Amino acid sequence: MHLIGRSREQLKLLGDYLGLCRSGALKELSKRLNHRNYLLESPHRFSIADLQQIADGVYEGFLKALIEFASQHVYHCDLCTQRGFICQICHHHDIIFPFEFDTTVRCAECKTVFHQSCQAVVKKGCPRCARRRKYQEQNVFT
C-alpha cells in the first residue's frame, strides 16, 4: 500500500504539470484513466474498483503505466520542462521535478525542489526560504 500511495502522489504531481500544458497530453491521460479523473485530484481517494484492482494485484501496474506516460511527456515537452527546477544548492544545470521521488526532495514551505544528495549535505534548511526570510527582515528595517 505504501508504494501505491507513493505512486498516487506522483500521479497527482504529474497531473498538475499536464493540467497546465497546452499540448493535449492531459486529454490523452484522461482517456487512459478510464473515467478515474479523481486520481489526478486526490491521492487519498480510492474507488471500489481501485480496491478490487489492488486486491487482484493489477493496480500498481496500472499506475506505473500512467506515470510512465505522463513523465515521458513532461521530460520531452518544451512547456513542461520550463516548469522544472534547478537545484538551488548545487546549481547543476539539469532540470529536476517534484515527482522524481527517488532523487529529489521538496521543501514543505516554499515547494522548491532539490537533489536528495544536496539536501542531505545542507541540513540547515532550505536556502530559498532563508533568502526570503532575510529579504523580509531587510524590508522590515527599511
Side-chain angles (χ1 to χ4, degrees):
M1 280 303 283
H2 174 71
L3 291 174
I4 288 170
R6 188 174 175 192
S7 294
R8 289 285 303 268
E9 290 282 345
Q10 282 182 296
L11 192 58
K12 163 78 172 85
L13 291 168
L14 283 159
D16 293 344
Y17 274 83
L18 271 57
L20 294 174
C21 184
R22 291 176 281 163
S23 71
L26 182 61
K27 195 175 242 183
E28 177 60 31
L29 182 62
S30 292
K31 288 179 192 174
R32 293 172 185 236
L33 287 171
N34 198 20
H35 304 291
R36 295 181 188 182
N37 289 337
Y38 62 88
L39 293 173
L40 301 177
E41 298 163 6
S42 173
H44 307 293
R45 188 181 306 158
F46 290 87
S47 69
I48 299 298
D50 295 336
L51 298 175
Q52 183 62 50
Q53 285 186 328
I54 291 169
D56 294 342
V58 296
Y59 193 67
E60 192 173 352
F62 169 69
L63 291 177
K64 284 188 186 299
L66 294 172
I67 290 167
E68 180 64 23
F69 167 78
S71 62
Q72 286 306 309
H73 169 80
V74 171
Y75 292 140
H76 296 99
C77 173
D78 290 338
L79 296 172
C80 290
T81 54
Q82 290 178 19
R83 292 188 58 235
F85 292 82
I86 300 291
C87 179
Q88 293 190 18
I89 297 172
C90 71
H91 302 286
H92 195 269
H93 66 279
D94 62 332
I95 300 170
I96 55 178
F97 296 94
F99 57 83
E100 298 173 323
F101 291 170
D102 293 335
T103 58
T104 64
V105 65
R106 192 172 194 191
C107 174
E109 187 176 334
C110 71
K111 307 299 186 210
T112 299
V113 181
F114 308 100
H115 294 111
Q116 278 182 350
S117 56
C118 295
Q119 184 68 24
V121 171
V122 181
K123 296 189 187 225
K124 59 186 169 196
C126 171
R128 182 173 184 232
C129 289
R131 283 193 310 273
R132 289 171 63 191
R133 279 191 290 276
K134 184 178 177 182
Y135 179 74
Q136 288 172 343
E137 289 170 6
Q138 287 175 346
N139 282 345
V140 168
F141 295 120
T142 55

